[in-house]
Amino acid sequence: MGRNKIRELTPRAVAIIYIPVLLIIVLVCWASYHFLQPMPPKTLTMTTGMEGGSFAIFGERYRQILARDGIHLKLLPS
């Protein structure tokens, strides 16, 4: 008896079932893409050239600027 009812589904009944399900799936995918974006890293590493040089000074400035937003900048002399 149950198998006959499945076979008796009309195209209209199938559309009534599947269209809302597909819309919900599309809505969930869009919302997860839009609202659940990956967070940027909180620690960055930057090489600055030799210590005391102009690149090291710029690196310190970047460290101060990024620290305002809670990002730790690790400076490596090269």
Side-chain angles (χ1 to χ4, degrees):
M1 184 174 202
R3 287 185 169 206
N4 291 336
K5 290 193 176 214
I6 291 175
R7 290 181 185 162
E8 292 175 9
L9 286 177
T10 64
R12 182 174 185 264
V14 171
I16 289 173
I17 294 170
Y18 287 118
I19 289 177
V21 171
L22 288 174
L23 288 176
I24 290 171
I25 291 171
V26 168
L27 180 68
V28 168
C29 290
W30 175 83
S32 64
Y33 177 76
H34 184 71
F35 293 112
L36 300 177
Q37 296 175 354
M39 298 298 292
K42 292 293 182 184
T43 302
L44 300 174
T45 303
M46 184 170 94
T47 59
T48 59
M50 52 186 217
E51 293 183 22
S54 61
F55 289 123
I57 294 170
F58 287 127
E60 286 297 326
R61 288 184 189 170
Y62 278 120
R63 180 185 289 182
Q64 294 170 358
I65 293 168
L66 292 172
R68 291 184 227 155
D69 294 324
I71 299 172
H72 175 71
L73 180 62
K74 182 179 175 184
L75 299 175
L76 297 176
S78 62

